[in-house]
Amino acid sequence: MTDSHSQCRRTQEDLRRLGRTHAVLSRCNRSLARALDERALLYAFCANLVEVGGYGFAWVGYAGERRGALLRLASHAGGGDATFAAAVLACANVGDRRSACRVACESGAPVVLRDLSVPSALAPWADAALGQGYRSMIALPLRADQAPFGNFSIFADMPDAFDAPEVALLAELADDLAFGIQTVRTRDAQAQQLRRLRNDAEREARGHLAATLHDGVGQTMQALNLGLKQARTLAECAATVPVALLDRLIDEAGEALRELRAVSCELRPLFLERLSLLDAIRHQCNETAQRTGISIRVSAADCAFTLDDQVKEQCFLAFREALSNAVRHAAASRIDVLLRVRTNDRLILVISDNGRGFDTHPTGAGPAGLGLCMIRERAAGVHGRSCVRSSPSKGTTVRICVPLTKDPILCP
Ligand SMILES: Nc1ncnc2c1ncn2[C@@H]1O[C@H](COP(=O)(O)OP(=O)(O)OP(=O)(O)O)[C@@H](O)[C@H]1O
Ligand SMILES: [Mg+2]
């Protein structure tokens, strides 16, 4: 009777612990999805273990570049303050002591110390831990592509707090954290690369603008200036100014005006303010078809919608880049543009060509230009999505999908 009673209590305790660990896992999954940066992610995981999981102390350490290099404290929660973390770290890092944290980090396997009051070479900091009231601990490796790069350690105030099912769940949690760290780092690196590309593109655009103004409008204005001086000299001598000279000056002024308009339209398509998105697309396609001789067909369905100005501008600029790519790179004889509304809440814009296509997953050097990244960025900037489908000699299709409501779109 007593045996079955205590067995029942143990089972209940095991279930309670597992339930708590599951709660930590689900809270950590939420933290993973919402993490803004690496530091916040690390702290969220440590804090969830302490606040939701009821553990005493959790900390994350990163290994140095070299094998056997010192561990670096990256984040911690619980345990009152950083003093205990500093004590663990100081002991873990002394000489070649094989403390649990370092062993987990170097071997890539979890290390569990079931009772810290039992002396162990793996716990040179046991006195400090016992002094804080901790009786057991687990050190979990953080791994990227199977290679450990840090450790995630948890201290509990009960001896034997980590049984096999709990170790399995916590190992899963450490893998989730390692995955989150890698994702945040990749995202940051991509954002940085995009910023660099954007700066380069802006610098190039400024250079292009300066050259266009200098070599185009600047030269025309200079010729105009000379012509006007000539006309003035003639007028001073009371001679008639020849009509041919005046006609030339008028032509030159007209040319300068056209060049200026082209530059300002490139910078900001003003016609967008007066035209609907569909009409602006038609206008651009007509102009491009006349200039290039390519057959461009625009079709639209269910297009009774109103767009916010920012969405309209981003859609148009993304469309213009896709069209310009089709003209510049595809050697296409035909381009189709389709605009339609789907399920009343999203606008779909598809630009396809019958040109040479390209490999959308090239190996080797990074992206050739900025255009495709900007299409993606512009769509994402208005809570939409874009995708590019292409393969060599099969043509290219760019699909842009943006919400007409405030809800973000999850798939293009
Ligand atoms: N419609 C297309 N047909 C064939 N190749 C394409 C097409 N669109 C893009 N590409 C290929 O993808 C590459 C990347 O396009 P992206 O628009 O990002 O850069 P870019 O056009 O080369 O330069 P930028 O847009 O910065 O002026 C292009 O250089 C081209 O090789
Ligand atoms: Mg481009």
Side-chain angles (χ1 to χ4, degrees), residues 46 56-61 71-93 101 125 128-129 132 134 151 153 155:
C46 293
F57 183 76
W59 74 284
V60 177
L71 281 172
R72 182 166 53 82
L73 177 65
S75 190
H76 69 90
D81 55 29
T83 335
F84 176 60
V88 174
L89 206 57
C91 294
N93 280 326
C101 313
W125 30 256
Q132 296 272 335
Y134 306 135
N151 86 291
S153 297
F155 288 77

Side-chain angles (χ1 to χ4, degrees), residues 196-384:
R196 237 192 339 260
L197 279 170
R198 196 178 284 165
N199 287 345
D200 289 352
E202 270 175 17
R203 201 171 318 116
E204 196 182 314
R206 277 200 300 272
H208 173 69
L209 187 59
T212 310
L213 289 175
H214 176 269
D215 302 341
V217 189
Q219 303 297 331
T220 315
M221 295 303 279
Q222 208 155 11
L224 189 59
N225 193 19
L226 279 176
L228 283 170
K229 280 183 185 157
Q230 203 182 345
R232 186 176 190 284
T233 312
L234 287 172
E236 257 175 9
C237 313
T240 18
V241 179
V243 172
L245 174 61
L246 291 175
D247 281 345
R248 202 192 83 215
L249 297 180
I250 290 169
D251 282 351
E252 275 166 4
E255 179 61 24
L257 204 58
R258 269 191 298 281
E259 283 169 4
L260 269 180
R261 281 204 183 117
V263 170
S264 89
C265 182
E266 184 65 28
L267 288 176
R268 181 140 198 277
L270 279 180
F271 53 83
L272 262 186
E273 282 169 18
R274 354 175 223 102
L275 299 182
S276 69
L277 178 62
L278 179 58
D279 287 342
I281 286 173
R282 284 203 170 112
H283 171 89
Q284 185 76 31
C285 287
N286 285 342
E287 188 275 325
T288 308
Q290 268 172 23
R291 185 166 44 80
T292 60
I294 300 174
S295 152
I296 307 181
R297 202 178 64 177
V298 180
S299 44
D302 307 323
C303 279
F305 56 84
T306 41
L307 277 185
D308 150 323
D309 282 352
Q310 198 207 352
V311 178
K312 182 160 92 171
E313 181 166 338
Q314 294 308 312
C315 283
F316 180 78
L317 294 176
F319 145 79
R320 192 170 73 175
E321 174 57 31
L323 182 68
S324 143
N325 276 351
V327 170
R328 284 168 54 210
H329 306 302
S333 59
R334 161 111 186 234
I335 300 174
D336 283 286
V337 180
L338 167 70
L339 185 71
R340 70 185 171 94
V341 170
R342 210 176 74 193
T343 60
N344 274 338
D345 66 352
R346 59 192 60 186
L347 180 68
I348 316 270
L349 185 52
V350 183
I351 304 98
S352 49
D353 67 59
N354 66 350
R356 62 166 67 105
F358 69 108
D359 180 2
T360 50
H361 300 289
T363 47
L370 191 64
L372 293 177
C373 293
M374 288 307 295
I375 291 179
R376 204 172 50 235
E377 283 278 293
R378 290 189 192 286
V382 291
H383 307 297

